[in-house]
Amino acid sequence: MKKLFTIITACFISTIIAQNKIIKKSWTSYSQSIDISSWEGHDFEVSAYLKKDKSSKGKSALWSRIDKTDNTYGFFANDAYNETVIVTNNWKKFKITGKVDSNADQLYFGAFCQGNGNFYFDAFEVKVKTKQGIWKKLSITNSGFENDSKTDTWNEGIRKNKIENVANYSISYNSADKYEGTKALKISASNIIGNNNGKYVTVNNVKLYYETYGEGEPLLMIHGNGQSLNAFINQVDYFSKHYKVILVDCRGRGNATFDYNTELTYTLEANDMKLFLDKIGISKTHILGWSDGGIIGIVMAINYPEKVDKLIAMGANINPQGLKDLDALHRNIKEIESSNKQEKQLFLSLYKLMAYYPKLTYKDLNVITSKTLIIAGDNDEIKNTHTVKMFEAIKDAQLAILPNETHYLPEENPDLFNQIVLKFLSK
């Protein structure tokens, strides 16, 4: 009854808090979509001109995704994870190329920014290659941001649920700096964690970047697959009032380096975290892991139980079969491998990590002795049945599956998420 009460209580809280939410984010996107359904199987190209102020520490890039008629995703690329893409303080043309998936519906594309700085975009263009081998330019609205934003179809957000007025970011059609015409898109951000004079620790041939906030018992926050430590922008202020919050960029993400000669696995990343804690003098810590970070926390609780006090795993799985759309991952892997582009190797490693790991069974979780809270949204990327079985396999674990919430609960409804986590930690 105690475990069931945890679920019911969390559901009740969700209906109260979710009505009013103010969300800070460590990234934003400005994008639009066009109908691509008549171009199945054709090559396409998205391009734009980019630059950023010399003092800008964050990233800016193009991104593109194809949404299919069955509500799944096809092609996806975000050049923020492309190490060969270097945006400077001079205008330069960047492009993303791919092939239109079968059953394609909409092509989403636009600007992506993460971290602090002033970022500029201009002269967007979308082209497809005809059967005759001729590149045809498709019509998009306000491609050079010359017209008023109220009259076009650009929106803030990267998922289908549009996000407007992201805290810490301002978006304008600005005449101060442009590639052509009279205006360009300007996106500005400040006071975002991840660029705040942190430190580096070398473990397993990579350098991990970290920042600490607050005092008290240590609370290590581990981000997800395509994230960096600033994914916890909505948690750091709240929890640093009660704990010494430790935020770290996992290998290949954020400011951390990557080792292309070593296969990326959750076992390796858990060992990274263990050695990292040793080097900064933390003998034992609470762990809050989101998505892949939750998986790393679980592996740590199995392999290094002496390091893990209480464990919170949000949106985690213990094998690839727990993912709702594993097929999409395999499609993306095939696309990257067939393109044989060196600049996509980090993307390939991240996709393979999710598609082939971890390789745990529910029985493996029986050895976990840390007090554990398993959290997920009922619209999570992880199957609800998988989440429940994880909870059942861990002795005295607690479970919160939250109605009308997604895999991005810590970002989309942080008040609810933070209160549930703090209540668990405070017991």
Side-chain angles (χ1 to χ4, degrees):
M1 181 61 67
K2 179 180 179 181
K3 294 176 181 178
L4 180 60
F5 177 74
T6 302
I7 304 172
I8 295 173
T9 302
C11 293
F12 176 70
I13 293 172
S14 177
T15 61
I16 296 174
I17 298 177
Q19 296 172 5
N20 260 318
K21 51 184 181 181
I22 300 173
I23 303 172
K24 294 187 295 182
K25 293 173 65 66
S26 61
W27 60 270
T28 195
S29 170
Y30 200 60
S31 61
Q32 65 170 288
S33 69
I34 57 174
D35 188 337
I36 201 77
S37 58
S38 61
W39 294 99
E40 290 185 17
H42 290 256
D43 293 331
F44 74 92
E45 176 183 299
V46 176
S47 65
Y49 285 83
L50 279 68
K51 67 167 288 185
K52 67 178 182 178
D53 285 352
K54 187 177 292 185
S55 60
S56 299
K57 294 183 178 180
K59 293 180 179 181
S60 61
L62 295 181
W63 77 276
S64 181
R65 185 190 71 226
I66 290 179
D67 288 11
K68 305 175 73 172
T69 55
D70 60 359
N71 292 320
T72 62
Y73 300 147
F75 174 91
F76 176 77
N78 185 339
D79 274 348
Y81 303 102
N82 183 337
E83 292 184 342
T84 67
V85 173
I86 302 175
V87 178
T88 69
N89 61 323
N90 296 311
W91 284 107
K92 181 180 176 182
K93 187 176 183 179
F94 294 89
K95 62 183 179 180
I96 289 175
T97 59
K99 189 177 291 291
V100 180
D101 300 89
S102 58
N103 300 319
D105 181 18
Q106 295 288 309
L107 171 67
Y108 281 80
F109 61 92
F112 178 89
C113 297
Q114 184 176 44
N116 300 314
N118 295 312
F119 311 100
Y120 304 87
F121 302 79
D122 204 355
F124 270 86
E125 190 174 75
V126 177
K127 297 189 295 185
V128 292
K129 196 172 186 179
T130 67
K131 292 180 179 179
Q132 292 74 33
I134 300 171
W135 284 98
K136 178 181 179 181
K137 185 177 177 180
L138 300 184
S139 176
I140 60 177
T141 65
N142 208 7
S143 61
F145 309 98
E146 300 295 304
N147 303 320
D148 191 292
S149 61
K150 295 180 181 179
T151 64
D152 65 27
T153 58
W154 291 96
N155 288 285
E156 197 165 6
I158 200 166
R159 293 186 292 280
K160 287 184 178 179
N161 52 319
K162 301 295 188 300
I163 303 167
E164 297 185 10
N165 300 322
V166 176
N168 295 330
Y169 283 92
S170 64
I171 297 177
S172 62
Y173 296 177
N174 197 283
S175 59
D177 203 337
K178 64 274 184 186
Y179 170 72
E180 63 181 19
T182 61
K183 295 179 183 178
L185 171 66
K186 179 182 179 182
I187 303 179
S188 300
S190 59
N191 300 318
I192 295 177
I193 58 174
N195 299 121
N196 291 336
N197 300 315
K199 298 179 180 179
Y200 286 89
V201 166
T202 300
V203 299
N204 291 329
N205 297 318
V206 296
K207 290 183 178 180
L208 304 183
Y209 173 84
Y210 74 102
E211 297 176 3
T212 60
Y213 299 86
E215 297 179 354
E217 296 178 47
L219 171 60
L220 174 64
M221 296 185 180
I222 310 176
H223 62 77
N225 185 285
Q227 299 174 322
S228 59
L229 68 80
N230 56 28
F232 292 105
I233 191 171
N234 291 287
Q235 282 69 52
V236 62
D237 290 342
Y238 184 88
F239 286 99
S240 62
K241 297 175 183 177
H242 309 277
Y243 300 93
K244 178 181 180 179
V245 174
I246 305 167
L247 303 168
V248 59
D249 283 334
C250 296
R251 57 172 62 212
R253 273 64 58 87
N255 296 305
T257 61
F258 192 65
D259 179 6
Y260 288 96
N261 296 317
T262 303
E263 183 184 16
L264 184 62
T265 69
Y266 295 108
T267 301
L268 174 62
E269 291 195 272
N271 187 248
D272 285 348
M273 290 299 109
K274 189 267 183 187
L275 296 176
F276 162 71
L277 291 171
D278 288 343
K279 288 202 171 185
I280 65 171
I282 302 296
S283 58
K284 194 169 190 176
T285 182
H286 303 304
I287 293 179
L288 168 56
W290 177 6
S291 192
D292 276 28
I295 299 172
I296 295 169
I298 288 170
V299 176
M300 289 183 69
I302 294 172
N303 294 349
Y304 314 108
E306 73 283 0
K307 284 291 186 186
V308 184
D309 196 340
K310 293 182 180 178
L311 170 65
I312 304 97
M314 164 65 211
N317 58 293
I318 62 165
N319 58 64
Q321 296 305 314
L323 300 174
K324 285 184 178 177
D325 200 359
L326 183 57
D327 290 342
L329 273 177
H330 287 290
R331 288 195 299 270
N332 286 324
I333 290 170
K334 287 182 179 179
E335 188 276 328
I336 295 174
E337 288 179 331
S338 63
S339 68
N340 196 31
K341 292 182 178 180
Q342 181 63 34
E343 66 268 20
K344 292 186 177 182
Q345 292 310 299
L346 178 55
F347 246 143
L348 183 61
S349 295
L350 294 174
Y351 279 139
K352 285 186 173 181
L353 176 67
M354 292 188 292
Y356 305 130
Y357 296 98
K359 296 181 178 181
L360 297 172
T361 67
Y362 297 116
K363 187 176 180 180
D364 291 330
L365 305 184
N366 295 164
V367 302
I368 293 177
T369 56
S370 302
K371 291 185 178 179
T372 302
L373 171 62
I374 301 294
I375 307 181
D378 66 345
N379 293 315
D380 209 290
E381 305 298 323
I382 310 302
K383 298 173 183 176
N384 287 339
T385 52
H386 186 85
T387 300
V388 172
K389 288 179 180 179
M390 288 169 54
F391 150 71
E392 291 175 338
I394 301 173
K395 183 180 179 181
D396 296 326
Q398 296 186 36
L399 172 68
I401 296 182
L402 308 175
N404 304 313
E405 300 294 349
T406 74
H407 192 67
Y408 302 93
L409 170 64
E411 171 186 291
E412 294 173 341
N413 199 345
D415 290 340
L416 170 63
F417 178 79
N418 293 347
Q419 289 185 36
I420 291 174
V421 171
L422 182 61
K423 183 176 180 180
F424 171 75
L425 288 172
S426 300
K427 289 182 179 178

